[in-house]
Amino acid sequence: MPKTMKAYILSDYNEHGAENVVATLDKTKVMELMKSNFQWVNQEDIDKLEYYLEIDKPSKDANNLAVGWGGIQLHIIELQ
């Protein structure tokens, strides 16, 4: 059985929906992608991103990195 590829998608979610969407197929590049595309990243965002990358579980729902409404979301998607 072939190994499944995953896409890692980050976006900034606000009142108008997802914006500033960026993605990579390389899990090792996700942290740098977040830091270089979202200037207001804080330690809580980094800690949660590390947690979700460690689990590395695809989900149909977004993984919210911020507490409350809005902020950065991470989607981990298995490619077919």
Side-chain angles (χ1 to χ4, degrees), residues 53-68:
L53 290 176
E54 186 176 318
I55 294 172
D56 202 20
K57 181 180 177 188
S59 173
K60 292 185 180 186
D61 298 320
N63 297 299
N64 293 315
L65 304 184
V67 174

Side-chain angles (χ1 to χ4, degrees), residues 3-9 24-30 48-60 63 74-79:
K3 184 176 178 181
T4 304
M5 289 185 71
K6 294 178 186 170
Y8 301 88
I9 305 166
T24 183
L25 299 176
D26 185 346
K27 180 179 169 181
T28 65
K29 294 182 180 179
V30 178
K48 282 194 174 179
L49 181 61
E50 288 174 341
Y51 169 77
Y52 287 121
L53 290 176
E54 186 176 318
I55 294 172
D56 202 20
K57 181 180 177 188
S59 173
K60 292 185 180 186
N63 297 299
L74 168 68
H75 291 267
I76 300 174
I77 308 296
E78 283 188 346
L79 302 177

Side-chain angles (χ1 to χ4, degrees), residues 36-52:
S36 64
N37 287 279
F38 304 95
Q39 286 70 33
W40 44 268
V41 170
N42 61 41
Q43 189 61 47
E44 182 179 0
D45 299 329
I46 292 168
D47 292 344
K48 282 194 174 179
L49 181 61
E50 288 174 341
Y51 169 77
Y52 287 121

